[in-house]
Amino acid sequence: MPISFDLTQDQKELQTLAAKFAREEMAPRAAEADKKGHFPEEVYRKAWELGLMNLNVATEYGGAGLPLLEQCIITEELAAACGGMTTSILANCLALQPINLAGTPEQKERVLRPFCGKYGLASFGLTEPSGGTDAAALKTRAEKKGDHYVLNGQKCFITNAPQASLYTIFATLDPAKRDKGITAFIVPRDSPGLSIGKEEDKMGQRASSTATVLLEDVEVSKENLLGKEGEGFRIAMQTLDSTRTPIGALAVGIARAALEQAAKYSLQRTSFGKPIAQHQAVAAKIANMTIELEASRLLTWRSAWLVDQGHRASLESSIAKCFSSDSAMRICDEAIQIFGGYGYMRDYPVEKYLRDAKLCQIYEGANEIQRQVIAREFLKRFG
Amino acid sequence: MDVIVCVKHVPDAETRLRASSSGKWIDTDGVKFTVNNTYDEAAAEEALRLKEKCGARSVRVITVGPARAEEALRYVLSMGADEATHIEVPADALLDPLTVARLLAGVIKTLPHDIVMVGKQAADDEAGVVGSALGALLGLPSYAFVTQLDPDAASKTLKMHRYVEGGEEHFHGPFPAVVSLLKGAADPRTPTLPNILKARKKPLTKVPLADAEAKARALSPTAAAGSVRSFLLPPPKTGAKMIEFQTPEEAAEKLVRLLREEAKVL
Ligand SMILES: Cc1cc2nc3c(=O)[nH]c(=O)nc-3n(C[C@H](O)[C@H](O)[C@H](O)COP(=O)(O)OP(=O)(O)OC[C@H]3O[C@@H](n4cnc5c(N)ncnc54)[C@H](O)[C@@H]3O)c2cc1C
């Protein structure tokens, strides 16, 4: 397909739908949810009713079956209204992607279809208290006992964990085997032995929920083994390969909102007899923010496009996630600066953007590890 | 039963408008157009509810407008309409409401229709003419400013409500008919994502302007039409007065004095 930056009619309509939902349902609740750390379940329910959840699940199993580019277009619109709510919406895609990738038709029929057929939340459980970046060193144990497995361990920082009805959990059959021992499981909420620890009190994205998942002698039937034993690490990495780009789009959405607020404010606020936007130092900030935002969006779209064309996009998705989240931090920081003292106040929206954007540098692979991937992939070309 | 709903693609309510250089309409350059045309959306919602309530055979959405107006049709298809008809006119065409009604009537006459729904007026020119003109041209009764309607298929009667000074009027009349909506029984639905994707596959027929004109002439040979002489934006508001003050008491005192002595409202 030739390159085109024109959105199709469908893409425009999806963008309009997401923007309308963001404006009418998310934005009015964002400040309150942030302040109270409240999980606005009614928003997620409405998102499901409109078909804005489970975007990556095939239509035959009740999802939206959207290409990654469309997912990114929608994500940007949602995140411009509230990064935290968007994370909780995206966490469903993250949790279901291992089933999309490795589930058998029977598993998809039995698990995905009923899950997508009604409102529900799901969680992806990879990270553990002892470490997230070095996922191959995870400690949660899986033991095979007859026709089932028994899981023991802890998963921490798990988005949607308190409300989820379904978890995809990564555990090891043999820690000595490192990545080769890791195995993926579908674990329903009502499995005896599964419990939820204390909810985290977070710096930002406070409309999403984050908690520890405790697994004590949780029995998982072999029907809920995803892929084969020892394939879990590959499934987790492939999952993150495809969900990384929308995190870039999420950062773009937050940064766009910060830039728009800053631009409007800079035209209204006056000092020395003119709008501050007319002071060169402020105008230069707006220019730099605009440059970074445009570049972030293009990197994100290109990465999504490559995936949609069936290419492997480890390099591009890492670049998109890393650059967009780093840029979002700079853009949100400058937005506060343009607002001056008001920017530092909780009554104005800009300080929230900075707190929300920060997470994008940490989760789904911290930016340090993204840079490692970028360097490794790029250096391959030279020998 | 076949339901037809007529909609218009109008400038977004939040767009800043400028008069065009011809001085006859707005400068459409850079203007965002939308389908969020309150009364038309209400008409579309009501049309879909008719289908759900009385099992109408089809809901067809129709518009007269330039190429961009297809967006309005697709929106109503995404809401749930079954098919669409686009009477396409040049981008710079300035159509008066009677001409629009003639084009619509000419085409509607050739399509199955039991109830033709329109918004009571468009959100841009607010002429409020198309509904009644359609009724006259099609030789059908037209019911205006309706707020609720219930068809009885057996007796081919519509039971309707509308607001009247100080109250509400409940009345009924026969159909086929043209109904102009003030508001519907429910808020217009937002198209869901799966329905947006399904809408792409629904039939959308383009009627060239010449065809529509021929059909309009067949229906009514004489074309009366108004024309716009000049188009003016409301003058910018003037006369705002800022009160300078040191203390709230002083501000209140000055405000009361102005209200009493200058505005003479106290
Ligand atoms: C709000 C929130 C929601 C989350 N949601 C989920 C979820 O739903 N599911 C889930 O599984 N996880 C989730 N996470 C976990 C997240 O993915 C991890 O926090 C992340 O992967 C980093 O792991 P860590 O916190 O253990 O940091 P560590 O791995 O301990 O890293 C600490 C620091 O060291 C750096 N570092 C580590 N190794 C290297 C290296 N080799 N080279 C250079 N630098 C290195 C890291 O980049 C980081 O800066 C969430 C986290 C947060 C904060």
Side-chain angles (χ1 to χ4, degrees):
Chain A
M1 203 174 82
I3 295 177
S4 164
F5 294 102
D6 273 333
L7 297 188
T8 64
Q9 189 65 35
D10 274 348
Q11 288 166 340
K12 282 189 209 157
E13 284 176 37
L14 296 178
Q15 187 176 43
T16 306
L17 166 72
K20 183 169 187 242
F21 177 76
R23 186 175 62 242
E24 292 175 0
E25 305 293 333
M26 295 170 69
R29 296 176 172 92
E32 179 87 356
D34 174 59
K35 195 174 219 160
K36 298 197 174 145
H38 167 67
F39 188 78
E41 194 119 27
E42 69 280 12
V43 172
Y44 307 127
R45 187 179 294 278
K46 190 83 194 278
W48 175 81
E49 284 168 9
L50 288 175
L52 289 168
M53 304 247 315
N54 313 328
L55 297 178
N56 61 341
V57 176
T59 46
E60 56 180 312
Y61 299 115
L66 287 185
L68 202 57
L69 183 55
E70 275 78 351
Q71 295 181 39
C72 286
I73 290 168
I74 290 173
T75 301
E76 177 183 331
E77 294 307 319
L78 303 182
C82 182
M85 293 179 203
T86 309
T87 282
S88 269
I89 290 171
L90 286 192
N92 265 31
C93 294
L94 175 64
L96 302 177
Q97 186 69 354
I99 311 180
N100 288 332
L101 292 174
T104 61
E106 183 279 323
Q107 285 173 326
K108 292 178 183 176
E109 193 63 44
R110 175 166 52 83
V111 179
L112 283 182
R113 185 196 293 285
F115 179 84
C116 295
K118 58 185 196 312
Y119 161 73
L121 293 158
S123 289
F124 174 84
L126 179 67
T127 305
E128 302 190 350
S130 57
T133 307
D134 186 5
L138 64 78
K139 295 196 169 71
T140 296
R141 287 298 298 262
E143 274 178 279
K144 194 166 185 179
K145 284 199 176 154
D147 62 351
H148 63 269
Y149 297 85
V150 178
L151 306 189
N152 274 292
Q154 270 190 40
K155 296 288 169 184
C156 79
F157 306 148
I158 304 305
T159 302
N160 290 350
Q163 295 84 8
S165 56
L166 186 71
Y167 303 79
T168 39
I169 299 284
F170 297 83
T172 178
L173 284 162
D174 181 1
K177 285 194 185 159
R178 286 203 32 107
D179 53 324
K180 303 284 187 299
I182 294 174
T183 305
F185 299 94
I186 301 168
V187 184
R189 174 72 174 91
D190 55 12
S191 307
L194 185 152
S195 61
I196 305 301
K198 160 181 134 352
E199 227 183 278
E200 304 292 347
D201 184 10
K202 299 193 295 296
M203 166 185 180
Q205 302 220 3
R206 293 166 56 80
S208 77
S209 59
T210 316
T212 301
V213 178
L214 303 158
L215 303 152
E216 287 173 79
D217 292 329
V218 175
E219 282 187 17
V220 181
S221 72
K222 70 174 191 311
E223 281 75 43
N224 281 342
L225 168 71
L226 270 175
K228 296 200 181 72
E229 289 181 2
E231 284 185 352
F233 190 77
R234 189 177 52 83
I235 295 170
M237 293 305 122
Q238 281 181 353
T239 294
L240 294 170
D241 263 350
S242 59
T243 55
R244 193 174 297 127
T245 312
I247 299 300
L250 195 154
V252 170
I254 297 173
R256 183 184 95 192
L259 173 56
E260 283 172 1
Q261 294 279 351
K264 280 188 204 146
Y265 188 77
S266 72
L267 291 169
Q268 281 162 10
R269 180 75 171 176
T270 57
S271 78
F272 300 93
K274 56 185 180 185
I276 58 170
Q278 286 180 24
H279 297 302
Q280 215 171 43
V282 176
K285 285 186 199 299
I286 299 278
N288 286 334
M289 293 156 85
T290 309
I291 292 167
E292 291 211 64
L293 183 72
E294 290 287 326
S296 300
R297 185 184 291 118
L298 288 179
L299 288 169
T300 304
W301 283 9
R302 169 145 186 276
S303 169
W305 180 85
L306 281 168
V307 172
D308 291 337
Q309 304 302 307
H311 299 294
R312 195 170 157 262
S314 291
L315 175 72
E316 291 80 4
S317 65
S318 288
I319 292 177
K321 190 264 185 190
C322 195
F323 185 83
S324 302
S325 56
D326 287 351
S327 300
M329 280 303 283
R330 287 189 290 266
I331 292 170
C332 296
D333 181 27
E334 290 289 42
I336 296 177
Q337 194 66 20
I338 288 171
F339 268 78
Y342 293 107
Y344 200 66
M345 301 300 151
R346 291 260 155 128
D347 286 341
Y348 287 76
V350 283
E351 60 83 34
K352 172 179 184 285
Y353 297 135
L354 185 84
R355 290 184 286 110
D356 287 354
K358 181 66 203 170
L359 181 56
C360 300
Q361 293 182 307
I362 299 172
Y363 67 176
E364 303 229 9
N367 282 5
E368 289 71 22
I369 218 68
Q370 304 301 341
R371 287 196 161 77
Q372 204 163 294
V373 172
I374 294 164
R376 188 189 65 214
E377 291 290 317
F378 189 70
L379 290 172
K380 269 187 198 165
R381 300 177 185 179
F382 298 90
Chain B
M1 194 163 76
D2 293 286
V3 181
I4 291 183
V5 56
C6 309
V7 300
K8 181 175 183 184
H9 201 218
V10 296
D12 189 276
E14 286 177 15
T15 311
R16 264 190 204 193
L17 301 177
R18 297 169 309 265
S20 65
S21 54
S22 73
K24 303 245 163 126
W25 185 227
I26 55 164
D27 182 355
T28 53
D29 214 28
V31 169
K32 188 172 168 288
F33 280 79
T34 168
V35 272
N36 295 350
N37 182 346
T38 328
Y39 307 116
D40 288 0
E41 266 191 287
E45 174 63 33
E46 212 50 38
L48 296 171
R49 292 171 70 84
L50 280 181
K51 179 174 173 185
E52 287 153 8
K53 254 191 327 204
C54 347
R57 193 168 58 204
S58 83
V59 173
R60 176 187 295 272
V61 55
I62 177 165
T63 196
V64 176
R68 61 165 164 75
E70 190 181 317
E71 192 195 357
L73 296 178
R74 292 197 39 134
Y75 188 83
V76 181
L77 289 174
S78 305
M79 285 174 78
D82 303 290
E83 41 198 334
T85 302
H86 187 180
I87 304 170
E88 198 169 335
V89 301
D92 53 0
L94 278 180
L95 300 179
D96 88 304
L98 274 176
T99 309
V100 171
R102 276 173 54 80
L103 294 171
L104 285 172
V107 173
I108 289 172
K109 187 78 186 173
T110 64
L111 297 167
H113 57 279
D114 293 288
I115 301 179
V116 179
M117 313 266 290
V118 297
K120 84 172 172 83
Q121 65 195 42
D124 54 356
D125 61 19
E126 304 199 327
V129 169
V130 169
S132 1
L134 263 182
L137 288 161
L138 291 167
L140 297 177
S142 71
Y143 310 113
F145 309 133
V146 169
T147 55
Q148 194 180 315
L149 83 160
D150 280 302
D152 178 41
S155 62
K156 295 228 156 202
T157 314
L158 286 172
K159 284 192 227 154
M160 291 164 282
H161 291 187
R162 71 175 151 215
Y163 298 142
V164 291
E165 188 69 42
E168 195 176 56
E169 182 178 51
H170 296 189
F171 64 111
H172 55 252
F175 71 87
V178 179
V179 180
S180 89
L181 260 277
L182 170 64
K183 72 175 192 65
D187 286 343
R189 66 197 67 188
T190 301
T192 64
L193 189 147
N195 284 343
I196 289 175
L197 297 176
K198 268 185 223 145
R200 179 179 33 179
K201 301 189 192 86
K202 293 179 177 174
L204 192 155
T205 315
K206 300 261 178 190
V207 180
L209 183 55
D211 281 14
E213 275 169 343
K215 290 188 168 108
R217 267 194 306 277
L219 194 66
S220 113
T222 45
S227 64
V228 176
R229 286 177 50 209
S230 63
F231 179 81
L232 305 169
L233 292 176
K237 291 227 166 67
T238 54
K241 194 165 243 171
M242 295 301 286
I243 299 174
E244 308 251 331
F245 60 92
Q246 304 293 334
T247 61
E249 290 77 10
E250 185 193 344
E253 193 191 309
K254 285 183 169 170
L255 177 61
V256 169
R257 181 148 35 81
L258 286 174
L259 289 174
R260 187 177 316 221
E261 293 169 13
E262 284 196 17
K264 299 200 179 9
V265 292
L266 293 183

